Structure formats: structure tokens, C-alpha cells
Amino acid sequence: MPFSQQAFRPRAADAAPVTPPTPVSPAEHHAIEQFLSFEAQLLDEARYDDWLDLLADDLHYFMPLRRNTLHRDLDRETTAPGELAHYDDTRAELAVRILRVQQPTAWSDNPPPRTVRLISNVQARAADKSGEYQVRSVFHLYRNRLQDDTDSFAGHRDDLLRRDGATGFRIVRRTVHIEQSVVLAKNLGVLF
Amino acid sequence: MDGRTYGELVDQETGVIARAVFDSPQVYEVEQRKVFARSWLFVAHASQLRRAGDFVVSRMGEDSVIVSRQSDGGIAVLLNVCRHKGMRVCRADEGSATRFTCAYHGWSYNGAGALVDVPHEADGYRGRLDKARWSLLRVPRVESFLGLVFACWDLDAPSLADWLGPAVDLVRGAFDRSAAGTEVLGGVQKWRLRGNWKLAAEQFTGDNYHAETTHSSAFTAQIAARAFDEEVFQRLADVGREGSGMVNVGFPHGHGATVITGGEEAFRAFHTAALPPELHSTVDPARAHERLGELAFGPGTMVNLVCPNLAWLGNQRTLRVFHPHGPDAMEIWSWVYVDADWPEETKQAYRRHSTRSFSTTGIFEVDDSENWAEINAVGAGHVTARVPLNYQMGLGRDTGGVNSAYSDTSALNFHRRWVELMDGPDPRLPDLSPAPLLPEPEDG
Ligand code: FES
Ligand SMILES: [Fe+2]
């Protein structure tokens, strides 16, 4: 059988061999990792007002849908801007979600869930603007609630972080790729 | 049902329903045949299939189907199951294809479902395989109306128009507001949750009663963020009052909706109430009024259910199907629909608003799914299973299916239809009998 011209993400014949991205300095990397761990803790502890402090005013928080496509349509595997998304929010819009979840009548979160998230495989690169970093991380978020509601969400995040005097960094852009097409949970009302 | 009829589970006189309707595996099994194989089911929006060859994979009950645009512009709905040994033929959610080739032994079907290629046909079958009769099973009835594509397995079913009956006004009021019609934006949100599909379906016939309690947190947050004003909230909370400008309507064949009766003033009030200030200017029914007359202010523009499982919120522009997924689970598929000739900016504003309100992450929807899931989660107890559920709000006070926006009339009407289908005849399915091998060719 001939090797298909539509092979799944083959490397071009004339491409250079793979090289890992140029890392930031160990001190910068450490600071970024610590920031992401701290941020994860705030979310796990539902300290949402504190978490909002870590978001830049010009935040774009985006979580596209995933769909099953054949190799040839892989550019459509993730919904594009302008198509449906799970999240496509500004900071102010996230703040409304948080106002809601803090109400005693936010039944989906009262009693609250127990969550723990592992943030790992952090890779940071200096972004074009000085003081900004492109950071890729993977997550595994476990959520347990009520008797036996148990969800497991895994994926990766592409962040743009900006240095900030008060909080170390602020999140300017976050794109969350969740590795599910049909969401296997009664809601995705959880922040990633 | 041990000789009982399903009518015994739904007591219209007393206004009570047995919990078994929502969780019995036996009921569920019969439902697949009597409800889902007999009903006209929404399978796609025409705007998902713009060019010949475009397809989406959809569901009819638990049956997986391919919905594909034909070269003559028609739409074929094909059972997505290989006729050879039962493999799922198409495993992509959508795309464009001239062939669907099974990944098991390579049987290949064209866009109309015809079996066109069988590897090693000559060696393996000696030319005796009756290919024409081993094509993908085609759903015999397909009809489109205002961009909504419906399919039905039952050869004896009435036409889609007869099935809709007077509820056609719901569809027109929502999907016929401009000459350009509607389109759905790209991407279908899909999620799976505990909760029988009918819990969601009956709610969309007009359970306005739940909003004040269930959605209290979403209203409060929006009021606090000034996206919503308190006065408007009060008007929504009082829709059960006489003269509120809104009623519940149970239509023939189980369809149901909350319908605005207060004309243009009420239409404007209820629509702006549900939208953030930046979308208020889009609430302009003048164009639709030219087209539809008074219909533009009424049916189809609030909460709607086309029986059994197609629903939409006319003010929020969310369109969804509640697919059955076992006795105690459903899969929700959700689209955002917009008028095709709206400016791109307006379409996008609705997409973002609708997603923030009604979706996997919607600040309203997350509290709906809490209810549906917990009703089934708590249902296993011996005594629990025997405690009837109350549908008495407004009982005996309806006029020809019309009642207060705080009433169970349209929900009971949905369940009346459900019983009718469950106690009714089986569907007449297309011929499923196997084709024998063709006769041995004469030796030449
Ligand atoms: S099962 Fe499809 S070709 Fe065999
Ligand atoms: Fe609701």
C-alpha cells in the first residue's frame, strides 16, 4: 500500500530535526511554575476573588470545543474563534460567573465540589513583548461532588503571562484545550 | 407492563405521574421503539450541510445516523452502521465526503448510502452479493422545514406538517423571522449527564415556575453586575399572574411552549429582560412583523418544545436536542441559531451571550442539570419509586390547552402524547429482511 500523502502530521522531508524550545532562565521558570501552582490552589480552595486579582484587565479566557474529524480535516478539530466555545470570556464576564458561584443559591456549587488539579509539563518562552511569557502547561482536574459525582478533566493550556509587581504575574490570555468532544460531565462550570 | 397500559403511569385527572416514567429500564426500552422510532426527530440544521457531500453524524434516539447533502440538493439520512458486521461506518462528527468506507473490511458506501465497493468481491462472493440490498439503511422519511431537518423511521407516520399541526406557529415564530432564514453557528456543544431526557423535554414545554428558585443565583449575579434590572426580574417572576402577557400552551401531539400574548409591548419587555444591555437594540420585531404579522410577537419566541426532544429558547437563541442515553441519562446537543442576515457582530454577540447563559458552562444551565441529575440519582429507593410526582399546578383551569405561565398544563400535555405513543402501534420500519445471495451464475 502506498504511504498516504495525507499522513498524520508528518515531518516535511526538508525540515530541520526537532529542537526543544529555548527555555527561560531557571529563576524565571521557577517563578512561573510557582505562580501556576499558587493559582491552582486558589481555584481548588474557591478563593475566586483572589484569583480574579491574577487576571489582567484585558484578559481573554477561551475554551474551544473539540470535535472528531478525520486527519484531512484536522484544522477543524478545534472550533475556531467565532464558532461555539465552552468559554469565550472577558475578565468582567468571568467576574459575573464568580458572583454567581458565590451565591448560596448557586445550587450546582452548593454544596461545593472538591477539586484538585495537577499542573505540570510547564514550558515557558519569552513572548514578543518584554515582561510577557508564553506558557504551556498540562492539567488534570479531578472533581468530586455530592455522593458520587466524579469528573476527570485533562488537557493543556496556552497562557500569556505578564509580569506584575503585586502578584508576580497576571494572566492576559488563556486558551484551554480540554481533551473531550462529548463532555462527560453534567457541566463544565469549573474554572481551568 | 404486566398487561397495564402506560396511561396508568400518567394520571391526567389527579395530575400525578409515576416516577417509573423517568427511570424504568423497561419503559426506556419500549420508548426507543414506540417514541423514537415513530416520531419526526430533528437531525440537523440545513446550514450545517451547505455543499453537496457535506455531512454530520447525528442521532435518532440511540441510533447513530449520517445526515448528508446529496448532489441533487436533497438530504439523505443513513443508519451509520455497516451492513456487513455492524461496525460504525463514519466516526467523524462532520466533514465532507463522497464515500463512507468501513474501517473493518472496507465495504464502501456512497453519499446516498449505496454499497458501491466490496473488497475482493469476486473472490469472496463470486459476484453473488446483492449489493443493492446491502446498502446503508436509509431513513425512509426526511423533511426539512425552515432549515430544520427532520427524519422519521415510521413509514406510517403522518407528514411533518401534520405532525407539527398548529405548533407550526412555534417553528415559524422562531425560524421564519427574516427572508434569509436562520443558520446555526459552527460547533455543536455536546454533553452527557444523569437525568432522563423527558425531565429536560417537559421543562421546555413551559416550566417558568422553576426559574425564580433554580436560577436565583444567575439572576442575582446579573443584577449585581447591572446586566439586568430588578424591575425586569420582578416582571419575569410574576408571569404566572393573570394578564402577565404570557401563557403556557399545550399543542396537539405533545408540543408545548410559553407564548407571549401581550403583543409587541410584552415581546419587547420579555426579550430585553433576558438579554444584556448591549443586545437590547437587536430586539426589533419590525422586520419579522412585516413577514409574520402578529405571529412575530408570540409563539416560538420564548421557551419551546417540539415533541419529543427538540427545544429552543427564542430569546436566547439556543437550540438543543435532548437525546436519550439510557433510562437515567441524556446527551444534550446544543447549537446557537441566528438570523442568517444579521450583521456578523450581532451573531457573535448572541453566540457569546447564549453560551454564557445556556451551555456546558452557562450560568443558568448548570443549575438546570443539577435538578435533572439529582432527580434520577435519588430515585432508586423502594418507597421513592412509589411516591407519585405532582403536576397539579393549574389543573382543571386550562382552556383548550392554554393556561397560566405558571401551570403544568403543557407538561401534562406532553406526557399525554407520550402515553399515546407508548400505548400506540409499533412503527412500520423499512424492510430489514436480509437479502439472500444471488443465484449461482451459470457456468460459462
Ligand atoms: S463490518 Fe464493515 S466491512 Fe466488515
Ligand atoms: Fe432552567
Side-chain angles (χ1 to χ4, degrees), chain A residues 13-26:
Chain A
D14 56 353
V18 66
T19 51
T22 320
V24 296
S25 75

Side-chain angles (χ1 to χ4, degrees), chain B residues 94-386:
Chain B
E94 56 178 66
S96 180
T98 46
R99 284 282 188 100
F100 297 101
T101 301
C102 178
Y104 197 173
H105 311 88
W107 282 25
S108 188
Y109 307 89
N110 70 14
L115 178 59
V116 287
D117 194 39
V118 172
H120 301 288
E121 186 182 356
D123 294 343
Y125 298 92
R126 306 271 160 198
R128 294 181 58 200
L129 183 69
D130 192 351
K131 291 219 292 294
R133 293 178 62 194
W134 289 98
S135 291
L136 289 182
L137 209 62
R138 202 161 162 163
V139 182
R141 315 280 303 274
V142 180
E143 287 191 43
S144 298
F145 181 55
L146 297 175
L148 309 182
V149 184
F150 291 85
C152 176
W153 282 112
D154 186 4
L155 290 159
D156 290 335
S159 67
L160 177 64
D162 288 347
W163 181 269
L164 290 173
V168 70
D169 284 352
L170 296 178
V171 183
R172 291 197 61 211
F175 299 96
D176 199 15
R177 300 187 76 77
S178 103
T182 59
E183 64 186 17
V184 292
L185 300 178
V188 190
Q189 266 200 358
K190 303 176 181 180
W191 69 108
R192 227 174 249 185
L193 60 152
R194 196 184 266 174
N196 182 270
W197 68 275
K198 294 189 294 302
L199 292 170
E202 68 164 39
Q203 188 190 292
F204 274 74
T205 65
D207 185 342
N208 303 289
Y209 187 42
H210 83 286
E212 186 177 12
T213 302
T214 293
H215 301 304
S216 159
S217 65
F219 287 122
T220 307
Q222 295 202 320
I223 290 166
R226 299 181 185 287
F228 211 89
D229 73 67
E230 189 112 39
E231 205 178 299
V232 157
F233 174 68
Q234 209 42 55
R235 179 152 186 186
L236 277 180
D238 289 338
V239 292
R241 293 220 181 119
E242 189 107 14
S244 70
M246 232 188 231
V247 293
N248 276 356
V249 183
F251 290 84
H253 296 163
H255 316 303
T258 296
V259 174
I260 294 172
T261 50
E264 182 167 358
E265 185 278 328
F267 177 90
R268 286 182 181 277
F270 289 125
H271 275 246
T272 48
L275 295 171
E278 68 270 19
L279 278 174
H280 286 182
S281 64
T282 67
V283 179
D284 180 9
R287 205 178 45 162
H289 185 248
E290 257 169 50
R291 217 176 146 68
L292 299 174
E294 286 302 297
L295 201 58
F297 310 132
T301 67
M302 297 300 287
V303 56
N304 309 274
L305 181 89
V306 164
C307 187
N309 63 344
L310 170 68
W312 68 90
L313 295 176
N315 50 358
Q316 308 281 325
R317 298 293 182 138
T318 173
L319 174 74
R320 62 256 317 281
V321 176
F322 305 115
H323 294 295
H325 201 81
D328 66 349
M330 69 181 118
E331 199 170 284
I332 304 181
W333 287 22
S334 171
W335 295 258
V336 173
Y337 74 97
V338 295
D339 287 10
D341 57 358
W342 271 353
E344 185 61 22
E345 210 180 287
T346 307
K347 293 177 184 175
Q348 290 301 324
Y350 269 92
R351 173 182 64 79
R352 297 180 65 255
H353 166 71
S354 185
T355 306
R356 285 199 305 278
S357 307
F358 291 90
S359 75
T360 48
T361 63
I363 60 174
F364 285 83
E365 183 112 31
V366 292
D367 290 319
D368 285 315
S369 44
E370 180 78 357
N371 296 331
W372 301 329
E374 285 296 294
I375 287 171
N376 275 91
V378 78
H382 174 79
V383 177
T384 304
R386 283 157 183 77

